[in-house]
């Protein structure tokens, strides 16, 4: 498999490496056999992409987001879900109820690489596009109109690589094209933007953190009509599994990323 990704897109290898290595453990907390195959086929060294804190953080965020998506699906079994910045994410296989419609959205180079691993089906489609532009919305709107179902947008590992102006543009795209919706977006904090050279895995890529918040309310305040509902730190999950995770959550409770939920 030949893989060519841009600087930000290369960060998609971090969760893939982590999920692959976690899957191979005796008691995996997350199973992702596709991630194992990707790493095997790419023949890459996972060490630069799999350090302790990133490993625990990715596993915690995966468990938490899977839970949140499953909860949304339980209430909306015909939901249309858009995975923004999908990378090599395999979440659909873990949350599918046999009825949802799923779209994986990412830049053309990432989707080209993704298509070497994943197969589109009647309910799972891949879209090449920039989330800051409106061209990708038509396919999602068409599916939503057909099913008359609510739409959920997921933004995992996306907002930290956008400026606040770009985040506002993304929110505007959502509001202009969907009369109502739910967004679950990962949030990092301003300290990580200032100290990103200390991040144990992202520092091994050429990607740059461009924004961070202390509260999801800062995101909601970017655009009128966006409502901040709740947020939960990865610490809530990460502290359950190891002393190191517990210690980090105890000593630096505000330093970890969070899942924030918004509605309009």
């Amino acid at each position: 498999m030949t893989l060519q990704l841009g600087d930000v897109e290369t960060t998609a290898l971090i969760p893939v490496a982590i999920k692959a290595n976690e899957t191979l453990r005796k008691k995996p907390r997350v199973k992702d056999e596709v991630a194992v195959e990707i790493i095997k086929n790419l023949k890459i060294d996972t060490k630069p992409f799999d350090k302790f804190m990133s490993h625990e953080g990715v596993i915690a965020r995966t468990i938490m987001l899977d839970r949140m998506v499953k909860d949304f699906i339980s209430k909306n079994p015909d939901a249309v879900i858009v995975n923004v910045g999908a990378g090599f994410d395999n979440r659909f296989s873990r949350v599918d109820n046999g009825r949802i419609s799923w779209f994986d959205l990412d830049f053309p180079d990432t989707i080209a690489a993704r298509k070497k691993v994943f197969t589109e089906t009647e309910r799972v489609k891949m879209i090449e596009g920039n989330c800051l532009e409106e061209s990708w919305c038509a396919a999602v709107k068409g599916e939503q109109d057909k099913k008359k179902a609510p739409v959920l947008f997921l933004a995992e590992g996306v907002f930290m690589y956008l400026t606040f102006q770009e985040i506002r543009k993304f929110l505007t795209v959502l509001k202009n094209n969907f009369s109502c919706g739910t967004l679950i977006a990962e949030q990092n904090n301003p300290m990580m933007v200032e100290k990103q050279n200390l991040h144990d895995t992202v520092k091994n890529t050429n990607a740059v953190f461009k924004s961070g918040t202390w509260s999801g309310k800062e995101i909601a305040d970017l655009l009128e009509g966006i409502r901040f509902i709740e947020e939960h730190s990865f610490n809530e999950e990460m502290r359950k599994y190891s002393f190191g995770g517990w210690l980090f959550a105890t000593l630096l409770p505000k330093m970890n990323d969070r899942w924030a939920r918004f509605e309009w």
Side-chain angles (χ1 to χ4, degrees):
M1 181 189 299
T2 301
L3 185 65
Q4 294 182 333
L5 298 174
D7 292 341
V8 172
E9 295 94 309
T10 299
T11 62
L13 294 175
I14 296 173
V16 172
I18 289 171
K19 290 173 186 175
N21 290 342
E22 178 70 23
T23 300
L24 295 174
R25 290 184 174 186
K26 290 184 178 180
K27 295 183 179 180
R29 293 163 289 179
V30 172
K31 291 185 178 182
D32 191 336
E33 298 295 344
V34 174
V36 174
E37 286 302 310
I38 290 173
I39 294 301
K40 179 181 177 180
N41 289 332
L42 290 178
K43 298 178 181 179
I44 64 172
D45 179 9
T46 61
K47 291 181 182 178
F49 303 112
D50 189 1
K51 305 296 183 180
F52 175 76
M53 287 308 301
S54 281
H55 189 107
E56 293 303 294
V58 165
I59 296 305
R61 84 177 186 181
T62 300
I63 292 171
M64 293 175 75
L65 186 55
D66 282 359
R67 184 187 302 141
M68 296 171 76
V69 174
K70 287 178 181 178
D71 180 66
F72 187 90
I73 292 172
S74 71
K75 298 171 182 174
N76 307 281
D78 293 306
V80 177
I81 301 176
V82 183
N83 192 13
V84 182
F88 299 103
D89 183 61
N90 192 27
R91 177 159 285 106
F92 173 82
S93 69
R94 297 192 299 273
V95 304
D96 181 36
N97 67 345
R99 293 169 58 178
I100 60 172
S101 295
W102 189 279
F103 293 89
D104 288 302
L105 169 67
D106 217 318
F107 292 113
D109 57 350
T110 302
I111 292 297
R114 184 178 176 86
K115 285 183 175 179
K116 296 179 180 180
V117 182
F118 295 93
T119 302
E120 290 186 309
T121 69
E122 184 178 345
R123 292 189 296 112
V124 183
K125 304 296 183 183
M126 299 182 219
I127 305 177
E128 296 181 4
N130 185 333
C131 67
L132 305 184
E133 301 172 355
E134 298 192 351
S135 59
W136 60 270
C137 297
V140 179
K141 288 169 63 177
E143 184 69 11
Q144 185 190 24
D145 290 343
K146 181 176 70 175
K147 299 184 73 173
K148 306 299 181 185
V151 60
L152 169 66
F153 300 90
L154 310 176
E156 181 178 20
V158 174
F159 278 19
M160 62 280 295
Y161 301 112
L162 303 177
T163 64
F164 285 118
Q165 182 178 359
E166 289 172 328
I167 294 173
R168 185 180 187 279
K169 189 172 182 179
F170 171 61
L171 296 176
T172 300
V173 168
L174 296 185
K175 278 205 67 187
N176 284 349
N177 288 274
F178 304 92
S179 59
C180 60
T182 300
L183 166 67
I184 301 176
E186 181 180 354
Q187 309 287 294
N188 67 334
N189 64 67
M191 190 66 71
M192 284 310 304
V193 179
E194 297 175 13
K195 304 293 184 181
Q196 57 188 283
N197 62 306
L198 301 179
H199 194 284
D200 60 355
T201 53
V202 175
K203 70 180 181 182
N204 295 319
T205 73
N206 292 321
V208 176
F209 292 149
K210 297 181 179 180
S211 65
T213 65
W214 291 115
S215 169
K217 188 176 184 303
E218 297 172 51
I219 298 299
D221 288 344
L222 292 174
L223 187 67
E224 185 177 356
I226 300 294
R227 302 188 302 277
F228 169 54
I229 307 301
E230 62 177 348
E231 65 184 348
H232 296 278
S233 171
F234 295 177
N235 285 336
E236 295 178 20
E237 191 70 28
M238 198 170 80
R239 67 187 309 143
K240 300 176 182 178
Y241 301 109
S242 67
F243 175 74
W246 173 86
L247 188 64
F248 180 88
T250 302
L251 297 180
L252 300 168
K254 294 185 177 181
M255 284 301 293
N256 214 336
D257 286 11
R258 297 109 52 209
W259 281 120
R261 182 164 63 93
F262 308 89
E263 295 178 354
W264 66 95

